[in-house]
Amino acid sequence: MQTAKSYMDAANAAVPRISSEEAVTRHANAAAVFVDVRDSGAIAATGTIKGAQRVPRGLIEFMADPATPAHNKALTKDAEIYLVCAAGGQAALAGKTLLDMGYTNVTNIGGIGDWTRAGGPVEGV
């Protein structure tokens, strides 16, 4: 039987995580796709990464699948995708889902608080 811990362990094992400082450096790459997987209320409260796609974790499968009307065109299977959430857990789980869907370059950058403390650019605050 799966538990929350077993899902998290699998996600953390599958999805590489980098430091916020490294993520800020990679943000300068125009080809990189930054994705905030938090819900709109959380994003409204804290802002998000400048230029980030807003893809709530509950919709990740639909927005990542080009066969659905909800598909987000920024999400391509070969894109360099960086995921952020509140603390890193939802980003890891969303990343594992993307890997399971055939995405090949997915990275967890942790929480938005770490991003802002590292001096990452934000919008919506």
Side-chain angles (χ1 to χ4, degrees):
M1 179 176 86
Q2 290 281 6
T3 64
K5 182 181 180 331
S6 64
Y7 278 110
M8 282 306 308
D9 289 347
N12 285 323
V15 181
R17 185 165 177 169
I18 61 173
S19 71
S20 297
E21 292 77 16
E22 177 66 20
V24 170
T25 300
R26 293 186 187 189
H27 187 260
N29 176 359
V33 178
F34 282 75
V35 178
D36 193 326
V37 300
R38 296 175 299 148
D39 65 41
S40 59
I43 292 172
T46 64
T48 189
I49 294 171
K50 184 175 182 183
Q53 301 295 310
R54 296 165 189 201
V55 180
R57 182 173 167 247
L59 296 176
I60 194 82
E61 293 87 349
F62 301 101
M63 295 182 85
D65 185 345
T68 69
H71 180 243
N72 180 321
K73 291 181 181 11
L75 300 179
T76 60
K77 299 223 177 189
D78 60 347
E80 193 176 316
I81 298 174
Y82 297 93
L83 302 165
V84 68
C85 63
Q90 289 185 63
L93 292 166
K96 174 76 166 65
T97 297
L98 290 174
L99 291 173
D100 290 347
M101 293 179 74
Y103 283 75
T104 58
N105 193 354
V106 179
T107 303
N108 180 354
I109 64 171
I112 192 69
D114 296 328
W115 173 266
T116 56
R117 282 188 290 281
V122 295
E123 64 185 20
V125 282

